[in-house]
Amino acid sequence: MGGPVGRSSTPGERTRSRVRGADRLGRDESPHEGGGPGDDGDGPGGREASGGGRRAAKDGRGHKAGARGRSSRRAPKSAKRRVLRWSASVLAVLILGTGGAGYLYYEHLNGNIKKEDLTLGDQQMADHKANAAGQTPLNILLIGSDARDSKANQKLGGAKETFGAPPLADVQMLLHISADRSNLSVISMPRDTMLKMPKCTAPDGEVFPASTVDVQTNQSLGRGGPGCTVATWYELTGIRIDHFMMIDFAGVVSMADAIGGVPVCVDANIRSRNADGKGSGLELEKGTTYIQGEQALQWLRTRYGFEDNTDLGRAKAQHMYMNSMVRQLRKGTKLSDPAKLMNLAEAATEALTVDKGLDTVKKLYDLAEEFKKVPTKRITMSTMPNVYGTGTNNGRVYPKAGDAEQLFRMVRDDVPLDGKASKRKKPEATKDPSAPVGEIAVAVRNGTATDGLGPASGRAGDVMEQLKDAGFAKTTVDPGNVAGAARTAVLYPSADLEGDAQAAAKALGVPLSQVKKSTDVSGISLAVGADWREDGAYPVSKGKEKTPDSAGALNGEDDKACMKVNPNYTW
């Protein structure tokens, strides 16, 4: 497939050539240099990549290793069109499996993909709300596993004392594609986030009970698999998750090699390794460097050396890498070569573990097509607003009250994080009329408790009185359920009660987007959430929603961003 265009070949020969091209993936990498395996030594989940990077050599344009030279002579438009048509034909064979050889290779790629259950939790995820055109958003959870379950992962991950230990979800990013496909929002959750885990039932039947104390979020992966990480996210955010995609150390390296280099920037020379052996081994000169392979993994895992040496700086570096990778891929230069296209397909399918709704190359391709609809300038990366813990959890983080919920609510309601208008439609009142308010029974419960605060005293009774003043004479307090709810919601069990639930919400000024159908209730239930701990009317946000400054939003088109290097890790 990589030979002269004019050479004729049989379908079988073309398939063998593709496989041979894929087999060569990553074999031309330089030997690994630098320090030996090391752990970052900060407790559960505190593993750091091993090995030292090499100082990148500059090319003639001042770029460092991995930069691609370009001819100053432009190809004729007709030649460009031929290349695009050729690439499109290869892609059609690859994705759609046309022809006998194409079908065999398509099935080969499908066999590479590993599949797991989407969620292992007991709670059923709420349905999406459609926009005016009947479109719904897509939420995909990206999980980076630190598993040391193979020789490749053990070599890359180091920390021999962790070999065979349960894997940790050290990278967690939620990708939200808007219903109209006009924008994409990303929320990273620091792996040091402390929260309570939901009950998870592993595919083999093992039950992991809900935690009674706060634990680190990256431990969710060891509770039955990625489906427990999904359940944990839903428990915290209330955001429906449609799919997950998980990748390990070796997968990151093979994907980075197949892409062919991504430019990243640091504001000073960096060497991520201290006297205690802590650090990823990343070593770069000040300025922009094209990184790939193991060096890309080091960048994504670097904690010691970026900003304040915490997971927050690491999340920002990951956002820069992802934005840069998107910009590179959208230039098209990496996918005009069929051999590179095959390498990328082989690497991607071997690297990924996905939910069963993404179990074929065709489904992954369709998902990629949805991503491609979003302009780069409408991609916004953010980190969950957080605060540091105290006492035994000093150095760990908790969701920041108010700001974190605001960010989650914006994603739930399909509000763009870049502050630009969306074509979404506000939820409409049901066409089914409600019963007379005096006949509507509503049970109010106090769900104002948070991880750091107990329930606000008397809130269920206060809201009950507000409803009674509005004519809802059958309103009662549900004293037996004080489980925390991040935001106020009105739940109803069946369609015939939707109008009644919306009437109760309207009487209190609660947005209709917070009226949900739920199988967890037998009648209309109003949970007064942590967003309504104070007396008075429901605090609806005024005007256009703004992404909290504490989320550290980064636009996908920002190619001038440089990571700030910690002065203790320069050379």
Coordinates of all heavy atoms in Angstrom, one line a residue, residues 113 245 348-349 352 354 358-369:
I113 N -10.2 -4.2 19.4 CA -10.8 -3.3 20.4 C -11.3 -4.1 21.6 O -11.9 -5.1 21.5 CB -12.0 -2.6 19.7 CG1 -11.6 -1.8 18.5 CG2 -12.7 -1.7 20.7 CD1 -12.7 -1.3 17.7
M245 N -13.8 5.9 26.8 CA -12.7 5.4 26.1 C -11.5 5.4 27.1 O -11.2 6.4 27.7 CB -12.4 6.3 24.9 CG -13.6 6.4 23.9 SD -13.3 7.6 22.6 CE -12.1 6.7 21.6
A348 N -4.7 2.9 17.3 CA -5.9 3.3 18.0 C -6.7 2.1 18.5 O -7.2 2.0 19.7 CB -6.8 4.2 17.1
T349 N -6.9 1.1 17.6 CA -7.8 0.0 18.0 C -7.1 -0.9 19.0 O -7.8 -1.5 19.9 CB -8.2 -0.8 16.8 OG1 -7.0 -1.2 16.0 CG2 -9.1 0.0 15.9
L352 N -7.2 1.1 22.7 CA -8.4 1.5 23.4 C -9.2 0.4 24.1 O -9.2 -0.8 23.5 CB -9.3 2.2 22.4 CG -8.8 3.5 21.9 CD1 -9.8 4.0 20.8 CD2 -8.7 4.6 23.0
V354 N -13.1 0.3 25.3 CA -14.3 1.2 25.1 C -15.5 0.5 25.7 O -15.5 -0.7 26.0 CB -14.6 1.6 23.7 CG1 -13.4 2.3 23.1 CG2 -14.8 0.3 22.8
L358 N -19.4 1.3 21.6 CA -18.4 1.7 20.6 C -17.5 0.6 20.2 O -16.3 0.7 20.0 CB -17.5 2.8 21.3 CG -18.1 4.2 21.6 CD1 -17.1 5.1 22.3 CD2 -18.6 4.9 20.3
D359 N -18.1 -0.6 20.0 CA -17.4 -1.8 19.9 C -16.9 -2.2 18.5 O -16.4 -3.3 18.2 CB -18.2 -3.0 20.5 CG -19.5 -3.2 19.8 OD1 -19.9 -2.4 18.9 OD2 -20.2 -4.1 20.1
T360 N -17.1 -1.2 17.5 CA -16.6 -1.5 16.1 C -15.9 -0.2 15.6 O -16.1 0.9 16.1 CB -17.7 -1.8 15.2 OG1 -18.6 -0.7 15.0 CG2 -18.6 -3.0 15.7
V361 N -15.1 -0.5 14.6 CA -14.4 0.7 14.0 C -15.4 1.6 13.4 O -15.2 2.9 13.4 CB -13.4 0.1 12.9 CG1 -12.8 1.3 12.1 CG2 -12.3 -0.7 13.5
K362 N -16.4 1.1 12.8 CA -17.5 2.0 12.2 C -18.0 2.9 13.3 O -18.2 4.1 13.0 CB -18.6 1.2 11.6 CG -19.7 1.9 11.0 CD -19.3 2.8 9.8 CE -20.4 3.4 9.0 NZ -21.3 4.2 9.8
K363 N -18.3 2.4 14.5 CA -18.9 3.3 15.5 C -17.9 4.3 16.0 O -18.2 5.5 16.3 CB -19.4 2.4 16.7 CG -20.6 1.5 16.3 CD -20.9 0.6 17.5 CE -22.1 -0.3 17.1 NZ -22.4 -1.2 18.2
L364 N -16.6 3.9 16.1 CA -15.6 4.9 16.5 C -15.4 5.9 15.4 O -15.2 7.1 15.7 CB -14.3 4.2 16.7 CG -14.2 3.3 17.9 CD1 -12.9 2.4 17.9 CD2 -14.2 4.1 19.2
Y365 N -15.5 5.5 14.1 CA -15.4 6.5 13.0 C -16.6 7.5 13.1 O -16.4 8.7 12.9 CB -15.4 5.7 11.7 CG -15.4 6.6 10.5 CD1 -14.3 7.4 10.1 CD2 -16.5 6.8 9.7 CE1 -14.3 8.2 9.0 CE2 -16.5 7.6 8.6 CZ -15.4 8.3 8.3 OH -15.4 9.1 7.2
D366 N -17.8 7.0 13.3 CA -18.9 7.8 13.4 C -18.8 8.9 14.5 O -19.2 10.0 14.4 CB -20.2 7.0 13.6 CG -20.6 6.2 12.3 OD1 -20.1 6.6 11.3 OD2 -21.4 5.3 12.5
L367 N -18.2 8.4 15.7 CA -18.0 9.3 16.8 C -17.0 10.4 16.4 O -17.1 11.6 16.7 CB -17.5 8.5 18.0 CG -17.2 9.4 19.3 CD1 -18.4 10.1 19.7 CD2 -16.7 8.4 20.4
A368 N -15.9 10.0 15.7 CA -14.9 10.9 15.2 C -15.5 12.0 14.3 O -15.1 13.1 14.3 CB -13.8 10.2 14.6
E369 N -16.4 11.5 13.5 CA -17.1 12.5 12.6 C -17.9 13.5 13.3 O -18.0 14.7 12.9 CB -18.0 11.7 11.6 CG -17.3 10.9 10.6 CD -16.5 11.8 9.6 OE1 -17.1 12.6 8.8 OE2 -15.3 11.8 9.7

